[in-house]
Amino acid sequence: MEETREFRGISKRLAANYLENLGGERIDEAGDRIEGDGWTAELTERTVNPVPGTSLSLNEVRVEFSGEAESLRPLIDRFAQKAMRAGG
């Protein structure tokens, strides 16, 4: 199974920390690849402009999850809860 998700308002470093807290281990020094029991996550980071024509910019982390469905689905759900940012 493979699934890609984007999360705004968090850094790649923080996303990697969340994945480590969920049982993963950094495979490279940059923290771009995290592996856990039955899953792998590849992280990339970019700056996006959510409102064209303004100077507003946000950090966006793209996480490409892959692995066994029974391991991956709960991981993605728990990660999404940690990475959720409330407006206000």
Side-chain angles (χ1 to χ4, degrees), residues 20-69:
E20 284 182 307
N21 290 336
L22 293 169
E25 183 178 327
R26 292 178 201 229
I27 301 305
D28 60 0
E29 278 188 40
D32 294 338
R33 184 178 172 97
I34 313 293
E35 289 186 0
D37 188 23
W39 58 268
T40 300
E42 297 276 344
L43 306 174
T44 55
E45 182 175 42
R46 68 183 185 141
T47 302
V48 295
N49 183 314
V51 183
T54 69
S55 61
L56 179 66
S57 64
L58 292 174
N59 202 56
E60 179 179 88
V61 174
R62 180 184 180 122
V63 186
E64 295 178 32
F65 296 98
S66 61
E68 303 164 9

Side-chain angles (χ1 to χ4, degrees), residues 7-12 14-15 45 59-61 79 83 85:
F7 300 91
R8 290 184 176 173
I10 67 170
S11 66
K12 185 173 73 169
L14 185 57
E45 182 175 42
N59 202 56
E60 179 179 88
V61 174
F79 180 81
R85 295 292 182 255

